[in-house]
């Protein structure tokens, strides 16, 4: 119509005229026949559908069409009759009909308009059920489009169609899939912004904080900060978000995370920085809480309750751990700031006596004590009296079992030792004082006598005793008896008040019997309690020894350190309490790292503990062994050994340490002892990188274990996104796996030998089987096999390409219906064909030949029934094989017949012995059955033969006629099959 063309022309020039043009087009519609108007409107819309390029004029035309259709729907309401007759429904039906068009421009523009219309409708807009279903089905189909731009707008269109509160909602599930697995970062970004928030989608949203693209990670923090209250997140989720975001290398992502915590979370906490820190559990996650505290202090400044020296005034309330952390962070930022910041520190900071007074007031709060002791590092310690007072208080804390041996006492021992070191002039004087404190902690003057365990207290306790459990049981029985005595005394008083003398006499008799029983319980409780107290003292002494050994610069030959090893650490390795043995193993490893003579003498103790003790002790012993083997070379251990041939002891020690670590790494610890396997794998990776693992230990089994643990750690992180943990895993195991993964990546890239890559290739299929057999909701069951396959394919390189492909082909042939078959098939497609020259040797040629023969068997096995024709394994193998065979033939490394009976010395290709004619015979057989898909795959497999034959014919070589005739016959049969 003549009246519509000027309006559409003007709408393409500027968005500012859209509102006026919409009103004018509505007036034209009111004066025109509805059928004619809709036909003309469709013609104008079709002009935009044909343009794929994002030209400004076309984009403005699309916006104008969407604005008109949505405005007419809102203004018309139900005046036009049923929803099926409305302009909105008509226009949506027209767009949906074109969503499967072969032209990508039409698919893109149709999907774009549908998305803009669905998101531009009013909140109370109504759409018929049929139109809703049609739009939903079309957009769900477009999320699988091969063009990323189409998938982007399909995800945008699904925003108003989802029901995120329903776990099985198809739209929500599809948005989650796009957000997590789409190959395009733009699609993941739009899906992240489009998916609704619910308890079902929240874990998947948080996982995008680890996306490979920074723009997706940045959007994740923006979405979580703007749309989510921190109370909706678990502590583990908050900590995971901040740990990744505040340590982010990309400045834009880190800025988005800072805005989330210092703007959005602070506003929702009513401006209280301490309330934000409290949501992170600062005692359990001190590192992340400190990072967040620095950003909060930088943005919001010092909290009002901590300003102007309030904590140092007399009568001030006790500090909470989050307040102490903010205070310490603020003082540290002032200390490294400008001159004005340092002047503010001098104004607000307390003197040393005042700090000691605050420390005394918080004696029952170890986490607050740690923060306040760290604050002493920025104070002026030039005053001799104040420095002595602070040192005496730190020494008292270190010598107190109530502080060092209690839960959370290990960090307190480390911090107090740092403060004590600042008050001493020499390291040797510090070591002597701390050694005396350790001795007093281990054997206090009022401690257990020799009957509780002889000399050394708990160190000589019997191996099968459980003093802590016995003491707890005795305490529980005594408490029950005392409670019963209180009840009897109340009944006695009631009987006396009622003059019931008979009943009172019976109750008195019961009370006397109960008192005798209490006396017996107290007598039986005393040895168990003394043994339990001895374990507590031993644990405190070992924690202090660990802090000293980890920070001292003194040599192992120092008498105080040697005395600690002989009198406390070694006897504690036989203690009945598992926590004591665990800390003792760590201390023994630190002692061995201080001197080669200790390492050469005591490494068998660590090996024995790593083989026979409980899981926590074994893990600690393995980590200690790894440190010993990495610190001292076999030559150094031999030189320090006492007796024996030079070099023998050192070589034996290094080899035994490596064997212990490799044995722990390859054990099946995925469900039972993950921390032990992680510790062994971490140590094995260290030794591999240093070249201290003998060749017999470098087995495919070890490579498989390292690769599996790498994948299991990634899956564990995915599970931890919603705060869940797999059975048998703990925080220590997760941290060990996280550190181990760095060594695995270095291991995969450091060794380029063909044998190592082949061992890595052999690790993939067992990993896939273990993942399929693992219980649900465990890290092993959630391993991304496809991702690991691509990783292995990337690091395997050309030398291991054929063996890896052969291993995958055999697995797909044997188990085509396995849950991991599609993932392995995609990993197979990621392999690059080998480009080895003809002179590379027979091993490579035999691998290529075996691969071709194996793939032909696989295809023959899969085409036995019609139901197997659509299986991904067959398509993947044929696709990879066609490229690999073509490259192998062109490089002359396929079926070389070096002994063909001729005397001319020329090598020829043994065409008759090749498996390719077998594949072509299979293709002819399948062509007769009408199996078009398999026929095309096998023709692709053989497509390189005629080209190579033509090249040989041009060189004067004879052309193998059977191959050419077979190809021509197959081509004719293909045409016949397609025609039918």
């Amino acid at each position: 119509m003549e009246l519509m063309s000027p309006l559409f022309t003007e709408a393409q020039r500027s968005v500012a005229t859209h509102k006026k043009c919409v009103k004018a087009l509505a007036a034209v519609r009111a004066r025109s026949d509805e059928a004619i108007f809709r036909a003309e409107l469709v013609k104008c819309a079709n002009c935009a559908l044909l343009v794929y390029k994002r030209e400004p004029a076309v984009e403005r035309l699309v916006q104008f069409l969407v604005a008109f259709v949505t405005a007419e729907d809102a203004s018309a309401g139900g005046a036009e009759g049923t929803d099926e007759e409305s302009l909105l429904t008509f226009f949506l039906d027209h767009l949906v009909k074109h969503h499967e068009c072969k032209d990508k421009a039409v698919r893109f523009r149709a999907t774009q308009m549908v998305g803009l219309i669905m998101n531009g409708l009013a909140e109370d807009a109504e759409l018929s059920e049929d139109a809703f279903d049609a739009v939903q089905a079309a957009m769900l189909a477009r999320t699988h489009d091969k063009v990323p731009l189409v998938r982007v707008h399909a995800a945008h269109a699904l925003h108003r169609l989802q029901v995120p509160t329903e776990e099985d909602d198809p739209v929500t599930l599809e948005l989650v899939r796009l957000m997590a697995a789409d190959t395009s970062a733009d699609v993941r970004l739009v899906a992240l912004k489009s998916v609704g928030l619910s308890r079902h989608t929240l874990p998947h949203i948080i996982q995008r904080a680890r996306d490979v693209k920074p723009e997706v990670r940045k959007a994740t923090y923006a979405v979580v900060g703007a749309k989510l209250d921190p109370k909706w997140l678990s502590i583990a989720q908050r900590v995971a978000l901040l740990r990744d975001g505040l340590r982010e290398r990309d400045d834009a992502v880190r800025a988005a995370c800072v805005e989330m915590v210092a703007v959005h979370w602070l506003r929702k906490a009513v401006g209280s920085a301490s309330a934000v820190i409290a949501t992170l559990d600062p005692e359990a996650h001190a590192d992340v809480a400190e990072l967040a505290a620095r950003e909060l202090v930088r943005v919001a400044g010092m909290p009002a309750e901590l300003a102007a020296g309030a904590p140092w005034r007399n009568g001030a309330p006790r500090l909470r751990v989050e307040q102490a952390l903010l205070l310490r962070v603020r003082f540290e930022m002032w200390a490294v700031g400008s001159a004005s910041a340092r002047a503010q520190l001098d104004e607000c900071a307390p003197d040393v006596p005042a700090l000691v007074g605050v420390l005394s007031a918080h004696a029952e709060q170890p986490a607050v004590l740690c923060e306040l002791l760290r604050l002493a590092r920025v104070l002026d310690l030039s005053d001799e009296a104040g420095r002595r007072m602070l040192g005496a208080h730190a020494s008292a804390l270190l010598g107190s079992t109530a502080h060092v041996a209690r839960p959370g006492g290990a960090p307190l021992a480390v911090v107090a030792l740092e403060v004590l070191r600042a008050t001493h002039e020499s390291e040797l004087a510090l070591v002597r004082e701390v050694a005396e404190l350790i001795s007093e902690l281990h054997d206090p003057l009022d401690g257990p006598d020799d009957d509780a365990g002889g000399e050394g207290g708990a160190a000589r306790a019997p191996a099968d005793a459980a003093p802590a459990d016995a003491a707890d049981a005795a305490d529980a029985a005594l408490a029950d008896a005392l409670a019963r005595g209180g009840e009897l005394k109340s009944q006695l008083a009631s009987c006396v008040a009622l003059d019931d003398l008979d009943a009172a006499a019976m109750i008195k008799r019961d009370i006397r019997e109960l008192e005798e029983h209490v006396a017996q319980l107290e007598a039986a409780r005393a040895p168990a309690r003394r043994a339990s107290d001895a374990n507590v003292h031993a644990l405190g002494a070992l924690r202090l020894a660990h802090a000293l050994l980890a920070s001292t610069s003194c040599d192992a030959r120092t008498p105080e350190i040697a005395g600690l090893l002989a009198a406390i650490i070694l006897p504690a390795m036989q203690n009945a309490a598992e926590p004591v043995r665990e800390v003792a193993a760590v201390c023994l490893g630190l002692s061995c790292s201080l001197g080669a003579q200790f390492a050469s003498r005591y490494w068998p103790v660590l090996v024995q503990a790593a083989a026979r003790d409980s899981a926590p002790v074994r893990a600690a012993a393995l980590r200690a062994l790894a440190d010993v083997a990495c610190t001292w070379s076999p030559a150094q251990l031999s030189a320090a050994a006492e007796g024996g041939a030079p070099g023998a002891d050192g070589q034996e020690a290094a080899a035994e340490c490596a064997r212990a670590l490799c044995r722990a790494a390859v054990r099946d610890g995925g469900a039972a002892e993950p921390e032990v396997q992680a510790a062994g794998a971490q140590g094995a990776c260290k030794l591999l990188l240093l070249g201290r693992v003998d060749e017999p230990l470098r087995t495919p089994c070890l490579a498989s274990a390292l690769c599996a643990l790498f994948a299991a750690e990634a899956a564990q992180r995915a599970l931890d996104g919603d705060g869940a943990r797999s059975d048998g895993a703990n925080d220590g195991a997760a941290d060990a796996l996280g550190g181990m993964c760095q060594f695995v990546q270095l291991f995969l890239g450091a060794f380029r030998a063909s044998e190592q890559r082949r061992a890595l290739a052999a690790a993939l299929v067992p990993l896939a089987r273990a993942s399929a057999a693992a219980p649900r909701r465990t890290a092993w069951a959630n391993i991304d096999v496809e991702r690991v396959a691509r990783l292995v394919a990337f690091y395997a390189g050309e030398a291991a390409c054929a063996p890896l492909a052969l291993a995958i082909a055999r697995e797909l042939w044997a188990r085509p219906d396995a849950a991991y078959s599609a993932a392995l098939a995609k990993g197979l497609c990621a392999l690059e064909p080998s480009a080895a020259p003809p002179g590379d040797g027979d091993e490579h040629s035999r691998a290529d030949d075996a691969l071709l023969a194996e793939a032909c068997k696989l295809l023959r096995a899969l085409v036995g029934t019609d139901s197997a024709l659509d299986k991904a394994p067959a398509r993947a193998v044929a696709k990879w094989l066609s490229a690999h065979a073509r490259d192998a033939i062109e490089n002359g490394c396929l079926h070389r017949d070096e002994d063909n009976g001729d005397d001319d010395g020329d090598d020829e290709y043994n065409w008759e012995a090749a498996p390719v004619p077998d594949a072509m015979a299979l293709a002819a057989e399948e062509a007769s059955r009408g199996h078009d898909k398999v026929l095309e795959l096998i023709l692709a497999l053989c497509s390189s033969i005629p080209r190579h034959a033509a090249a040989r014919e041009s060189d004067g070589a004879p052309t193998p006629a059977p191959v050419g005739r077979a190809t021509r016959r197959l081509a004719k049969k293909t045409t016949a099959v397609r025609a039918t």
Side-chain angles (χ1 to χ4, degrees):
M1 294 173 62
E2 295 77 2
L3 298 177
M4 296 178 61
S5 299
L7 297 178
F8 278 90
T9 302
E10 186 175 359
Q12 295 181 60
R13 295 173 180 169
S14 175
V15 181
T17 62
H18 281 189
K19 189 173 182 180
K20 179 183 69 175
C21 293
V22 166
K23 294 181 179 179
L25 189 59
V28 173
R29 178 190 179 193
R31 298 193 302 267
S32 306
D33 180 74
E34 185 66 18
I36 298 177
F37 178 83
R38 292 186 178 186
E40 294 296 327
L41 183 67
V42 166
K43 290 182 181 179
C44 295
N46 289 342
C47 296
L49 292 179
L50 298 175
V51 182
Y52 182 77
K53 188 177 180 181
R54 305 293 295 270
E55 296 182 356
V58 181
E59 296 297 324
R60 289 192 285 267
L61 177 60
V62 170
Q63 295 178 20
F64 172 67
L65 284 168
V66 171
F68 172 72
V69 172
T70 54
E72 284 296 286
D73 177 77
S75 61
E80 299 183 29
T82 61
D83 287 338
E84 286 76 12
E85 298 174 354
S86 67
L87 180 63
L88 173 64
T89 305
F90 168 78
F91 198 70
L92 285 176
D93 288 343
H94 174 71
L95 295 176
V96 167
K97 291 177 182 177
H98 293 81
H99 84 92
E100 292 182 336
C101 184
K102 292 184 178 181
D103 190 348
K104 65 178 181 180
V106 178
R107 299 198 309 272
F108 158 55
R109 292 298 179 182
T111 307
Q112 179 190 26
M113 291 187 192
V114 170
L116 293 174
I117 290 173
M118 296 303 299
N119 289 280
L121 293 175
E123 293 293 336
D124 56 348
E126 295 183 359
L127 196 64
S128 67
E129 185 175 353
D130 293 340
F132 182 91
D133 294 340
V135 171
Q136 176 175 313
M139 294 302 101
L140 286 176
R142 287 306 96 217
T143 58
H144 297 274
D145 198 280
K146 63 181 180 180
V147 180
L149 192 58
V150 178
R151 301 199 300 273
V152 165
H153 289 283
H156 184 247
L158 292 174
H159 172 63
R160 295 282 294 273
L161 304 179
Q162 61 181 320
V163 186
T165 56
E166 297 182 4
E167 187 175 4
D168 55 349
D169 177 53
V171 177
T172 304
L173 294 177
E174 185 61 23
L175 287 175
V176 168
R177 185 194 67 82
L178 291 175
M179 179 176 60
D182 197 274
T183 56
S184 173
D186 295 332
V187 178
R188 298 197 301 274
L189 181 62
V190 173
L192 172 65
K193 295 180 178 179
S194 300
V195 69
L197 296 176
S198 68
R199 63 186 182 90
H200 307 298
T201 61
L202 184 57
H204 303 283
I205 294 174
I206 294 176
Q207 288 178 17
R208 291 304 92 211
R210 294 193 170 191
D211 196 276
V212 295
K213 293 295 183 180
E215 55 267 23
V216 180
R217 301 197 299 272
K218 177 183 176 182
T220 301
Y221 289 106
V223 168
V224 173
K227 298 182 180 180
L228 280 177
D229 192 296
K231 297 179 181 178
W232 294 6
L233 302 172
S234 65
I235 294 177
Q237 290 171 336
R238 299 187 205 114
V239 170
L241 282 172
L242 294 183
R243 178 177 284 116
D244 294 336
L246 296 179
R247 296 174 177 175
E248 177 67 49
R249 290 175 294 180
D250 190 274
D251 294 337
V253 180
R254 190 178 186 280
C257 181
V258 171
E259 182 181 0
M260 177 189 71
V261 64
V263 177
H264 298 291
W265 288 9
L266 187 62
R267 184 181 67 250
K268 292 170 184 175
V270 200
S272 176
S274 58
V276 176
I277 299 298
T279 61
L280 302 176
D281 191 6
E283 293 190 32
H285 309 96
D287 56 339
V288 178
E290 181 175 349
L291 293 174
R294 292 188 179 278
E295 299 300 334
L296 287 169
V297 170
R298 185 177 60 83
V299 174
M302 179 74 78
E305 66 270 18
L306 302 178
W312 322 120
R313 292 198 301 264
N314 293 330
R318 289 187 177 184
L319 294 173
R320 299 188 301 274
V321 61
E322 59 269 14
Q323 293 176 327
L325 173 61
L326 289 168
L327 191 67
R328 191 256 300 176
V329 167
R330 175 74 276 184
F331 280 21
E332 289 180 349
M333 295 176 68
W334 277 339
V336 297
S338 61
S340 60
R342 290 193 295 271
Q344 196 168 6
L345 172 64
D346 295 337
E347 179 183 353
C348 298
D351 53 11
V352 176
L355 176 62
V356 173
V358 176
L359 290 171
S360 302
H362 296 82
E364 300 300 325
Q365 298 174 266
V368 178
L369 281 177
C370 285
E371 299 300 335
L372 294 177
L373 285 172
R374 291 190 180 101
L375 189 146
R377 293 179 297 189
V378 300
L379 298 183
D380 185 9
L381 299 179
S382 59
D383 181 41
E384 180 68 21
R387 186 169 66 252
R388 288 183 178 180
M389 185 181 298
L390 182 60
H393 190 82
S395 179
L397 289 176
L398 292 174
S400 172
T401 307
H403 289 95
V404 179
R406 70 190 304 174
L412 180 60
V414 174
V415 177
L417 186 61
E418 293 178 1
V419 174
L420 188 61
R421 177 176 280 108
T423 62
H424 281 71
E425 296 181 356
S426 66
E427 182 70 16
L428 184 59
L430 173 70
V431 170
R432 289 174 180 173
E433 181 176 349
V434 175
E436 292 178 1
L437 293 174
I438 294 173
S439 179
E440 293 177 2
L441 276 174
H442 189 261
D443 294 319
L445 296 178
D446 56 348
D449 54 18
D450 293 342
D451 294 337
E455 184 181 356
R460 302 299 180 87
D464 56 348
D469 296 340
D472 293 340
D475 289 342
L478 182 60
D480 293 340
L482 292 176
R484 176 59 179 164
E487 294 177 359
L488 291 176
K489 290 179 180 179
S490 298
Q491 296 176 9
L492 177 62
S494 300
C495 293
V496 171
L498 297 175
D499 293 334
D500 190 354
L501 300 181
D502 295 337
M506 295 177 62
I507 293 175
K508 285 182 179 180
R509 185 173 63 252
D510 294 340
I511 290 176
R512 286 194 299 269
E513 294 177 356
L514 186 61
E515 289 176 349
E516 295 176 359
H517 181 60
V518 168
Q520 295 175 359
L521 288 176
E522 289 180 345
R525 170 180 172 269
R529 176 53 57 190
R530 286 196 297 268
S532 178
D533 292 342
N535 286 339
V536 171
H537 288 291
L539 183 60
L542 288 170
R543 283 180 175 174
L544 186 52
H546 173 255
L548 177 63
L549 293 172
S551 60
T552 186
S553 58
C554 290
D555 189 78
R557 292 170 293 183
T558 304
E560 288 78 10
I561 294 180
L564 290 178
L565 179 62
I568 295 177
I569 297 176
L570 287 175
M573 292 294 295
Q574 300 177 0
N575 194 285
E578 179 183 282
V580 175
R581 298 197 307 274
E582 182 180 1
V583 182
V586 177
C587 292
L588 182 57
L590 291 174
S591 302
C592 293
S593 298
L594 290 177
Q597 65 274 19
F598 283 174
S600 62
R601 187 183 306 170
Y602 298 120
W603 66 263
V605 180
L606 292 173
V607 171
Q608 185 177 9
R612 300 181 181 180
D613 217 313
S614 59
V617 182
R618 290 174 58 198
L622 287 169
R623 286 190 288 268
L625 280 175
D627 293 340
V628 170
C630 294
T631 303
W632 307 110
S633 65
Q636 291 173 318
L637 293 176
S638 299
E642 296 181 357
D649 291 341
Q651 294 292 341
E652 179 186 356
E656 189 61 32
C657 291
R659 281 194 291 269
L661 292 169
C662 293
R663 281 197 301 265
V666 301
R667 285 179 180 174
D668 186 14
E673 297 175 346
E675 66 273 22
V676 175
Q677 190 179 23
Q682 187 178 17
C685 288
K686 292 179 181 179
L687 295 185
L688 284 169
L689 290 175
L690 293 175
R692 297 183 181 176
V693 176
D694 294 335
E695 191 66 28
L697 296 177
R698 299 183 181 184
T699 61
C701 188
L702 178 61
S704 177
L706 297 177
C707 190
L709 280 172
F710 173 78
E713 191 273 339
Q716 183 66 60
R717 289 182 177 180
L719 285 177
D720 291 343
D722 57 353
R725 281 208 168 273
S726 64
D727 298 335
N730 52 28
D731 291 337
D735 294 341
L737 286 172
M740 182 274 301
C741 283
Q742 301 177 8
F743 290 103
V744 170
Q745 295 183 35
L746 293 174
F747 162 70
L748 295 177
F751 289 93
R752 292 299 182 185
S754 176
E755 294 77 9
Q756 290 300 313
R757 291 196 295 268
R758 292 176 188 273
L760 186 62
L764 180 60
V765 173
L767 168 64
R769 294 176 183 173
S771 175
R776 295 184 59 187
R777 298 300 298 169
T778 62
W780 289 73
N782 286 268
I783 288 177
D784 191 345
V785 177
E786 177 185 349
R787 179 181 176 185
V788 178
R790 292 180 180 273
L791 179 70
V792 172
F794 174 77
Y795 282 110
E798 294 179 356
C801 185
L804 178 59
L806 182 59
I808 295 177
R810 286 173 176 169
E811 186 67 16
L812 294 179
W813 177 29
R815 299 174 179 85
D817 295 322
Y820 52 83
S821 60
L824 288 182
K826 292 181 180 180
L828 179 63
C829 295
L831 288 172
E832 293 292 335
S834 177
D840 266 8
D842 296 336
E843 183 179 358
H844 191 81
S845 300
R846 287 196 298 270
D848 292 332
D849 297 349
L851 175 62
L852 287 170
E854 197 74 36
C856 291
K857 293 179 181 179
L858 171 64
L859 290 175
R860 183 179 291 277
L862 290 178
V863 300
T865 57
D866 292 341
S867 61
L869 297 181
D870 295 327
K871 292 187 180 296
R875 295 196 298 272
V877 172
K879 179 180 178 181
W880 187 91
L881 187 61
S882 61
H884 181 79
R886 181 184 306 114
D887 187 81
I889 292 173
E890 290 176 355
N891 286 278
C893 57
L894 181 65
H895 295 288
R896 178 175 297 278
D897 187 7
E898 298 181 355
D899 187 12
N900 52 11
D902 299 336
D903 296 332
D904 54 2
D906 296 334
D907 296 335
E908 297 181 358
Y909 289 100
N910 188 359
W911 298 104
E912 299 297 332
V916 176
D918 181 40
M920 299 177 69
L922 175 62
E925 179 182 351
E926 297 305 320
S928 63
R929 299 181 181 179
H931 294 165
D932 189 21
K933 293 183 179 179
V934 176
L935 178 61
E936 291 180 1
L937 292 178
I938 300 176
L939 284 176
L941 163 66
C942 304
S943 60
S944 60
I945 302 298
R947 287 200 301 271
H948 186 75
R952 289 179 58 82
E953 185 176 6
S954 64
D955 295 337
T959 303
V963 175
R965 288 196 297 269
T967 304
R968 287 192 292 272
R969 288 198 303 271
L970 289 175
K972 293 180 180 179
K973 292 186 178 181
T974 303
T975 305
V977 169
R978 289 175 177 172
T980 57

